[in-house]
Amino acid sequence: MLDLTKLARQMQGLSQHLTLEAAASRQRLELAQQHLKKAFEFQEELVKRQEQWRDRIIFANATPIEPLETCIDIPVPPKIHTVISTDGSQISPNHHEIAYCYLINIGRVVLHYGQNRHPLLDSLPEVFYRPEDLYVSRQWGIKTDEWMGFCRTASEITVLAEVACSMKGEVPILAMVDGSLIYWFLEQLPMDARDRILPPILEAWKQMRDAQIPLMGYLSASRNIDAMNFLRLSACPHPVPDCITYCPNQLEAVPCKKFDPLRDTALWATQLKPGQRGPLWRSNARILELYENQTIYFCYVHVGTEIARIEFPAWVAENTTMFDQALGLMLAQVQKGYGYPVAIAEAHNQAVVRGGDRARFFALLERQMIKAGIKNVGTSYKEARKRGSIA
């Protein structure tokens, strides 16, 4: 149990630390605003330096596609439209349970507006118990529960494309997912493992591209700094931004790192009004070299309650009509959901596996094992003791 009395003694020191950090954050924000205004005038030159020295710049950064001072009002969406979303959850494998297996549950949501049609609210569960499912990742040194999460990501996008393409018609459609479309975890995977995860995702994106259904990833409370890092090109005191020569150790204090740990959202909160978006950016994440012609763009949007980061593939960004309409549908979802897209929230609710669901899953599994003639079915003594106390 948590001893709140002992914990309370530490709160005073935490409060003092937060007060000092808030003051330092305000100073960093003022400095970032100064460099942003400077970048307004020299944006083209900074982009040229960025492109010329991209192989020597060793910190994550993005390229602005529009003027940095861009603040555009998002258009009102059509009343008749459809929004689709998927999300996933799982029951992780546990040697102390009655059987070593795992479950992935994909929540599906289709919301029709102005069409007098019933919504789709359901989930697709799948149980994995075969050795090739449970142990395939061990050849790459990846834990089973981690591999399960990667497979779940691919399943979410695959199901999203299947549902979206089946809805293709005259009505505007938006497909949404929670989180980033830049799958950073792929960088750590061996090529053989990566080839099992990424191709199905890219194929699903192609299906939506061919059906002209825009895809957007919604990031709430984003921690990204790749737009802020573009301003480090302005703050660089060296003749050229050659990090490898001048600042090879980015973990140390480097002269251009004046805004760290300020996030993109903090700066754009000072630039945007509710209902506006900032400039388009192209991500330069190295993993996107594997995305073929579907690299990722993003922008920041003031949705009223926060500054959200919205990500989308190149084929959405390059179609101005599709992009503007999709942003309007996204913002309407946030308004309908009182600060968070209602379709994504409902997809999560459909996917999540609660305590009662977990108990019923293992009860169903236990009956099947007994029916199959397996004896001594039950959890380990450790698991049984953890579920109750005799003290």
Side-chain angles (χ1 to χ4, degrees):
M1 294 177 64
L2 183 63
D3 191 325
L4 295 179
T5 303
K6 295 176 182 176
L7 182 63
R9 298 169 189 166
Q10 304 178 36
M11 289 296 105
Q12 185 176 359
L14 175 61
S15 176
Q16 293 173 349
H17 168 75
L18 292 177
T19 300
L20 294 174
E21 181 57 32
S25 181
R26 285 193 296 270
Q27 294 178 352
R28 288 191 290 265
L29 182 57
E30 291 174 0
L31 184 60
Q33 288 175 298
Q34 294 172 12
H35 279 276
L36 179 62
K37 291 180 179 179
K38 179 181 177 182
F40 288 167
E41 303 175 14
F42 302 102
Q43 179 176 339
E44 187 175 346
E45 179 183 338
L46 292 175
V47 171
K48 287 180 180 178
R49 286 162 62 89
Q50 180 190 44
E51 183 62 28
Q52 182 179 357
W53 296 92
R54 61 180 304 175
D55 294 334
R56 309 290 291 181
I57 298 173
I58 56 179
F59 55 84
N61 60 89
T63 301
I65 305 302
E66 297 175 322
L68 288 169
E69 59 266 38
T70 297
C71 296
I72 298 177
D73 292 328
I74 295 176
V76 177
K79 292 183 178 180
I80 299 176
H81 62 270
T82 296
V83 180
I84 303 166
S85 185
T86 56
D87 197 9
S89 184
Q90 72 279 322
I91 295 177
S92 299
N94 186 344
H95 285 291
H96 296 285
E97 279 293 355
I98 61 175
Y100 190 69
C101 62
Y102 65 88
L103 176 142
I104 292 179
N105 194 39
I106 305 298
R108 306 187 301 174
V109 168
V110 180
L111 302 177
H112 304 284
Y113 295 95
Q115 302 170 64
N116 196 25
R117 297 176 61 184
H118 290 291
L120 171 67
L121 300 164
D122 71 0
S123 64
L124 300 176
E126 186 175 5
V127 182
F128 297 85
Y129 53 88
R130 294 185 176 88
E132 56 266 31
D133 296 323
L134 295 172
Y135 305 113
V136 64
S137 63
R138 292 190 177 181
Q139 61 184 304
W140 305 304
I142 303 172
K143 295 180 180 179
T144 300
D145 54 346
E146 292 181 1
W147 181 249
M148 171 189 62
F150 304 154
C151 294
R152 190 191 81 185
T153 298
S155 295
E156 290 172 4
I157 297 297
T158 301
V159 172
L160 182 70
E162 291 174 354
V163 176
C165 293
S166 70
M167 297 285 172
K168 181 183 176 183
E170 303 261 337
V171 175
I173 297 176
L174 171 63
M176 299 185 72
V177 294
D178 178 28
S180 179
L181 300 180
I182 304 173
Y183 303 115
W184 302 98
F185 65 83
L186 292 172
E187 291 183 322
Q188 311 300 324
L189 299 185
M191 187 177 299
D192 290 344
R194 188 189 300 155
D195 287 344
R196 297 199 181 197
I197 302 298
L198 186 57
I201 293 174
L202 296 181
E203 178 59 32
W205 288 7
K206 290 177 183 177
Q207 293 172 10
M208 287 186 278
R209 180 193 63 192
D210 295 342
Q212 288 295 286
I213 297 173
L215 166 68
M216 287 187 163
Y218 187 94
L219 286 79
S220 177
S222 167
R223 300 177 62 87
N224 294 77
I225 58 171
D226 45 348
M228 282 292 305
N229 279 350
F230 177 77
L231 300 182
R232 289 175 64 176
L233 298 172
S234 170
C236 177
H238 302 293
V240 292
D242 184 353
C243 301
I244 294 178
T245 299
Y246 296 112
C247 308
N249 188 354
Q250 291 288 309
L251 297 178
E252 296 179 352
V254 293
C256 69
K257 211 171 182 179
K258 297 180 178 181
F259 325 116
D260 192 60
L262 200 65
R263 303 174 189 171
D264 294 350
T265 52
L267 179 59
W268 256 263
T270 67
Q271 306 297 308
L272 300 173
K273 297 178 181 178
Q276 289 186 331
R277 74 164 177 88
L280 277 177
W281 297 79
R282 184 185 69 243
S283 174
N284 294 322
R286 297 192 185 280
I287 193 63
L288 297 181
E289 295 173 1
L290 302 176
Y291 278 41
E292 301 168 0
N293 60 345
Q294 301 196 89
T295 193
I296 299 302
Y297 288 68
F298 65 90
C299 68
Y300 289 97
V301 177
H302 195 321
V303 298
T305 51
E306 65 170 336
I307 305 296
R309 177 178 166 119
I310 311 299
E311 296 183 352
F312 31 87
W315 47 271
V316 176
E318 293 165 358
N319 187 329
T320 303
T321 302
M322 174 192 288
F323 174 63
D324 289 343
Q325 182 173 264
L327 277 181
L329 297 178
M330 177 279 301
L331 185 58
Q333 279 291 293
V334 176
Q335 293 168 347
K336 290 180 173 68
Y338 301 102
Y340 189 75
V342 63
I344 295 179
E346 289 302 325
H348 169 77
N349 290 335
Q350 293 297 317
V352 67
V353 179
R354 297 179 172 83
D357 297 328
R358 179 186 176 90
R360 283 187 286 271
F361 166 71
F362 282 110
L364 179 61
L365 182 59
E366 182 178 10
R367 286 198 296 270
Q368 291 297 318
M369 294 174 70
I370 294 174
K371 186 177 179 180
I374 300 175
K375 299 180 180 180
N376 299 322
V377 177
T379 59
S380 69
Y381 286 106
K382 176 181 178 179
E383 184 68 20
R385 284 294 296 115
K386 284 167 64 178
R387 296 180 183 181
S389 174
I390 59 174

